[in-house]
Amino acid sequence: MDSNKKYGADLIERYLYAVAKRLPKEQRADIEKELAGLIDDMLAEKAAGGEPSPEDVRAVLLELGKPADLAAKYRGSKNCLIGPDYYGFYITVLKIVLAAVAGGLAIALTIGAIAGGRGNLLEYFGNAVSNLVSALFQAFAWVTVVFALMQRYNAKIDEKGKQWNPSDLPEVPAKKARIPKSEPVAGIVFTVLAIVLFNGAPEIFGIHWFGETHAFVPIFDMDVFRSMLPFINAVFVLGIVKELFKLAIEKYNLKLAAAVTAINIVSLALTLHVFASPAIWNADFITQLQAVQSFAMPADFDLVYHWGRVPHYVAVVAVFGCVVDTMTTIAKGIRYGRGR
């Protein structure tokens, strides 16, 4: 295959990939096949039976338009507030966030009902539904506002920038370099769940006894915990931002490695500030445990010593996790950051 033919085939492959990745998974194969056939027909007509040149390929792709716009036509969607460049990503993130908020609140409310006793079930159920609707509405509003701002900012850049050119299409990443959507999606879901639980049901973090009476021993000093919530939430938000970077970039490269490294450093600093300090941990944890009649202190395990070492253990785990995640992402970024 000569260089011109190879370049044309590569450009078509990049265009097909750019369109397909914006489509629902179940439609991608069929639409990609259909679009490839359409491009072949247009090239045959353009080349008048001869061998299509790179200029012919560029002309056909320009005629088809930006991948995001073409994908929007295939989806049959007319987007105003959120344009085709972001619509698919917006829907994905919105589904993730709404599902995570609903699941997290359901868990938090269930725990609250169990820990707080039955009380007036009808009143509790009414408040629960009200809180759920309010939380879902807020989640929807914030996600929509963020993407609307992204769309507006991107539109201003497009107005000032040059016209779209097929040569600007990013290369199709190697399969091993691609990040499956399931990974960042799972990360976002669990992070949102953590946000809901830490903010809405901090009583989950402790030891519960359910006997004739309910006993609860918190692992945190709740006053200090509440004062640290802004820092804890900042760690979670940074975690979501990191996963959004993965969803948006879709592959390991040096840009993602730099973003992950910066986010991990800040997150680690905040995590150590909060959890490596003895202040946030319940200083009376052992005493409160011993006060529970059914609890027996283990004979062959120095619980008092190890509880005092909890901040150290948390720091070690946090640093280890940060280093592994950062170095893994950097290694993959270096390996796959150039070319395909």
Side-chain angles (χ1 to χ4, degrees), residues 107-329:
I107 295 173
L109 292 170
T110 301
I111 293 171
I114 295 173
R118 293 188 176 185
N120 188 324
L121 286 179
L122 185 60
E123 181 181 353
Y124 186 84
F125 178 76
N127 290 334
V129 172
S130 175
N131 291 336
L132 178 61
V133 172
S134 176
L136 290 175
F137 178 78
Q138 290 184 49
F140 170 80
W142 278 110
V143 172
T144 302
V145 167
V146 168
F147 275 88
L149 291 174
M150 289 169 61
Q151 175 65 40
R152 184 173 181 180
Y153 178 73
N154 183 65
K156 289 182 178 179
I157 292 177
D158 286 344
E159 290 172 2
K160 297 178 181 179
K162 61 181 180 180
Q163 185 180 8
W164 177 77
N165 190 320
S167 299
D168 297 330
L169 286 167
E171 294 188 3
V172 179
K175 287 187 177 181
K176 290 184 178 180
R178 300 176 192 177
I179 301 175
K181 278 190 176 181
S182 57
E183 291 183 12
V185 165
I188 293 173
V189 168
F190 283 112
T191 304
V192 173
L193 283 173
I195 291 174
V196 173
L197 293 177
F198 269 79
N199 288 268
E203 60 270 16
I204 191 177
F205 302 106
I207 298 178
H208 293 261
W209 273 267
F210 297 97
E212 294 181 1
T213 59
H214 170 249
F216 169 63
V217 179
I219 63 172
F220 296 120
D221 181 312
M222 297 312 295
D223 291 332
V224 178
F225 175 84
R226 292 187 184 93
S227 70
M228 289 291 186
L229 262 181
F231 298 102
I232 297 172
N233 288 333
V235 173
F236 291 143
V237 169
L238 286 171
I240 291 175
V241 170
K242 181 171 69 173
E243 300 304 333
L244 289 176
F245 266 110
K246 292 179 181 179
L247 267 177
I249 297 176
E250 300 179 319
K251 61 182 179 180
Y252 289 102
N253 58 21
L254 296 177
K255 182 189 296 185
L256 178 64
V260 168
T261 300
I263 291 172
N264 281 353
I265 290 173
V266 178
S267 296
L268 178 62
L270 290 171
T271 300
L272 294 179
H273 171 68
V274 174
F275 295 105
S277 169
I280 196 172
W281 303 98
N282 183 3
D284 299 322
F285 180 74
I286 302 299
T287 303
Q288 292 172 3
L289 271 182
Q290 292 172 333
V292 178
Q293 294 180 355
S294 59
F295 178 78
M297 292 286 287
D300 55 348
F301 184 77
D302 192 344
L303 189 58
V304 175
Y305 169 78
H306 287 290
W307 179 251
R309 299 283 292 171
V310 163
H312 174 74
Y313 298 152
V314 171
V316 170
V317 171
V319 171
F320 178 78
C322 177
V323 170
V324 170
D325 183 49
T326 302
M327 296 307 297
T328 300
T329 307

Side-chain angles (χ1 to χ4, degrees), residues 11-140:
L11 205 58
I12 293 171
E13 183 184 9
R14 287 153 61 182
Y15 187 83
L16 291 173
Y17 177 77
V19 174
K21 73 178 185 178
R22 292 175 167 87
L23 297 170
K25 190 174 182 179
E26 62 274 9
Q27 298 179 8
R28 289 176 189 171
D30 291 339
I31 292 179
E32 189 172 354
K33 183 178 179 180
E34 176 187 331
L35 181 57
L38 175 62
I39 292 174
D40 286 342
D41 292 341
M42 294 174 70
L43 283 174
E45 182 179 349
K46 182 77 67 176
E51 189 70 33
S53 66
E55 288 71 24
D56 292 331
V57 174
R58 280 194 290 268
V60 166
L61 298 185
L62 279 171
E63 186 177 343
L64 289 171
K66 292 176 62 176
D69 294 338
L70 186 59
K73 292 178 182 177
Y74 274 113
R75 288 196 307 265
S77 57
K78 297 180 179 180
N79 315 306
C80 297
L81 183 62
I82 311 295
D85 283 330
Y86 291 110
Y87 186 74
F89 189 32
Y90 163 71
I91 292 297
T92 299
V93 172
L94 187 61
K95 288 178 179 178
I96 294 168
V97 171
L98 292 181
V101 168
L105 267 180
I107 295 173
L109 292 170
T110 301
I111 293 171
I114 295 173
R118 293 188 176 185
N120 188 324
L121 286 179
L122 185 60
E123 181 181 353
Y124 186 84
F125 178 76
N127 290 334
V129 172
S130 175
N131 291 336
L132 178 61
V133 172
S134 176
L136 290 175
F137 178 78
Q138 290 184 49
F140 170 80

